[in-house]
Every structure is written in C-alpha cells, then in structure tokens.
Amino acid sequence: MYLGGAGGFYSSDDFGETWKRLGTSTELRAVLSSRYPDADPTLFAATSAGLLKSTDGGKKFAPTAITGEVDRLEWPGPTLVASGP
C-alpha cells in the first residue's frame, strides 16, 4: 500500500498496520504504481511541483519533463496520462 500527502510519501507491507516513510518530502497528490509491481517497481508521483518517477519502488524519485502542478494520474495502457488543475 502507498500513501501520499502533505507529510510525504509512505508505504506499508502489512495492510496499513505500520508505515515507512519513503523518498520524497514533496507534497504528493497522487501515486501510481506499475500494473505489475512484482516485476516492475516503477512508481509515478503527482506533486505540486510536477511529475516524479521512481524506478526502485519509491526509495528515490527523479523529476520528469512534466513540471507544474499535477493532480491526477492514469495508466490505462502503454501511455501514462497526467492532468493538472
């Protein structure tokens, strides 16, 4: 499970009993993982500063070419869709 908000980004491996803080302290608005998380640990994070990408399950995030506010993420197929206000 993943949780993002003004306090940062967290993950839980025990259905929310305990939480571990991950990579970024940027305000997160949405988090989207790969459809195949066991084989692909990629995560995308929508933030007030742009779209971030992690290739290691959220331990480290890097900025992408999308800057500015991102509020919503969808990954309906091979294309990632990001939208802002």
Side-chain angles (χ1 to χ4, degrees):
M1 295 175 69
Y2 295 101
L3 170 72
F9 182 55
Y10 299 83
S11 73
S12 175
D13 293 331
D14 56 11
F15 300 100
E17 291 292 322
T18 59
W19 293 90
K20 179 174 72 172
R21 188 178 180 124
L22 299 175
T24 183
S25 60
T26 304
E27 180 183 343
L28 297 172
R29 298 182 174 175
V31 176
L32 188 61
S33 65
S34 164
R35 286 188 261 167
Y36 310 104
D38 290 337
D40 180 6
T42 300
L43 295 174
F44 288 97
T47 74
S48 57
L51 181 67
L52 303 178
K53 180 180 179 180
S54 172
T55 58
D56 60 7
K59 294 180 182 94
K60 295 179 188 172
F61 282 88
T64 66
I66 299 173
T67 59
E69 293 183 56
V70 179
D71 291 328
R72 185 173 175 179
L73 298 173
E74 301 272 340
W75 205 345
T79 303
L80 176 72
V81 178
S83 65

